[in-house]
């Protein structure tokens, strides 16, 4: 898993990315907007530096187009470096998104670091994931805030350090 140190410039760009309070279908009711925008900014910056062709076109269905693929970036908050047993989740309400891949990132609560957990094609994610109902308990006594599909981080494809992933 790659660890990225977050810059103040990236945080400022993320603050300007969205002019609304809450993304439709937001599990955290808008509390994670900055973190989500920051995940998108970091993925954008990484793939720009790698020389990928990127179109920043944020829709309900996807956040970026990288080398012709529609990418939706999913970001969660964390207190520490994620471990392989962490869940990467897609809310059930977003299952109909028209994207090709999901990229999963974790950003620390203090906005200092971003962890690139991995990626999965939409098709593979839903074939391999498990469904959890709102209110069910996951490991660590964490309660699901909405119906969602989950895949353990260990089952994601890892980002490579090459120019093309």
């Amino acid at each position: 898993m790659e660890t990225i140190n977050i810059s103040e410039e990236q945080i400022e760009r993320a603050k300007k990315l969205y002019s609304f309070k809450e993304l439709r279908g937001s599990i955290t009711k808008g509390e994670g907007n900055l973190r989500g925008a920051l995940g998108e900014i970091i993925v954008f910056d990484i793939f720009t530096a790698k020389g990928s062709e990127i179109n920043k076109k944020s829709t309900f269905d996807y956040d970026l187009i990288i080398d012709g693929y529609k990418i939706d970036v999913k970001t969660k908050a964390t207190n520490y470096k994620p471990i392989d047993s962490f869940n990467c989740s897609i809310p059930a309400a977003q299952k109909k998104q028209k994207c090709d891949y999901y990229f999963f990132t974790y950003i620390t609560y203090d906005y200092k670091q971003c962890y690139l957990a991995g990626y999965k094609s939409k098709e593979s994610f839903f074939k391999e994931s498990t469904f959890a109902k709102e209110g069910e308990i996951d490991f660590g006594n964490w309660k699901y805030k909405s119906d969602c599909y989950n895949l353990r981080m260990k089952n994601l494809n890892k980002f490579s350090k090459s120019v093309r992933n």
Side-chain angles (χ1 to χ4, degrees):
M1 173 182 339
E2 192 171 345
T3 304
I4 307 296
N5 291 320
I6 299 170
S7 72
E8 285 299 320
E9 184 267 342
Q10 288 171 317
I11 293 170
E12 289 307 311
R13 285 171 42 214
K15 286 178 181 177
K16 296 174 185 172
L17 193 56
Y18 296 117
S19 60
F20 49 84
K21 288 187 174 185
E22 181 181 328
L23 289 168
R24 186 170 42 156
S26 172
I27 290 174
T28 61
K29 305 298 181 209
E31 289 179 27
N33 284 3
L34 178 59
R35 197 167 282 105
L38 194 51
E40 292 175 31
I41 295 284
I42 290 167
V43 169
F44 178 90
D45 290 352
I46 289 167
F47 281 86
T48 297
K50 288 183 176 192
S52 295
E53 182 181 322
I54 300 181
N55 180 352
K56 176 67 182 116
K57 180 177 181 172
S58 189
T59 71
F60 172 76
D61 293 311
Y62 54 89
D63 301 312
L64 303 165
I65 299 174
I66 300 176
D67 293 331
Y69 295 101
K70 295 172 185 163
I71 309 300
D72 196 50
V73 180
K74 299 297 186 188
T75 304
K76 283 188 174 181
T78 187
N79 283 318
Y80 51 87
K81 185 175 182 174
I83 56 176
D84 280 344
S85 60
F86 275 26
N87 275 333
C88 294
S89 304
I90 305 293
Q94 296 176 10
K95 188 175 181 181
K96 293 183 180 183
Q97 285 179 296
K98 296 178 181 95
C99 62
D100 300 308
Y101 287 91
Y102 292 111
F103 285 11
F104 296 93
T105 65
Y106 286 82
I107 294 181
T108 55
Y109 282 101
D110 64 6
Y111 295 97
K112 300 279 187 205
Q113 292 186 307
C114 174
Y115 301 101
L116 301 179
Y119 66 96
K120 203 67 157 174
S121 73
K122 178 185 175 185
E123 181 180 346
S124 294
F125 181 90
F126 287 108
K127 280 183 184 176
E128 298 173 29
S129 64
T130 58
F131 181 76
K133 299 261 326 148
E134 178 180 354
E136 286 182 17
I137 303 295
D138 192 19
F139 68 94
N141 215 21
W142 189 86
K143 188 183 287 189
Y144 289 103
K145 296 176 182 171
S146 71
D147 293 353
C148 61
Y149 293 86
N150 301 288
L151 187 65
R152 297 283 190 223
M153 195 172 70
K154 67 182 176 183
N155 296 318
L156 297 177
N157 301 317
K158 301 303 176 202
F159 293 102
S160 72
K161 295 193 184 278
S162 66
V163 173
R164 299 283 183 218
N165 284 321

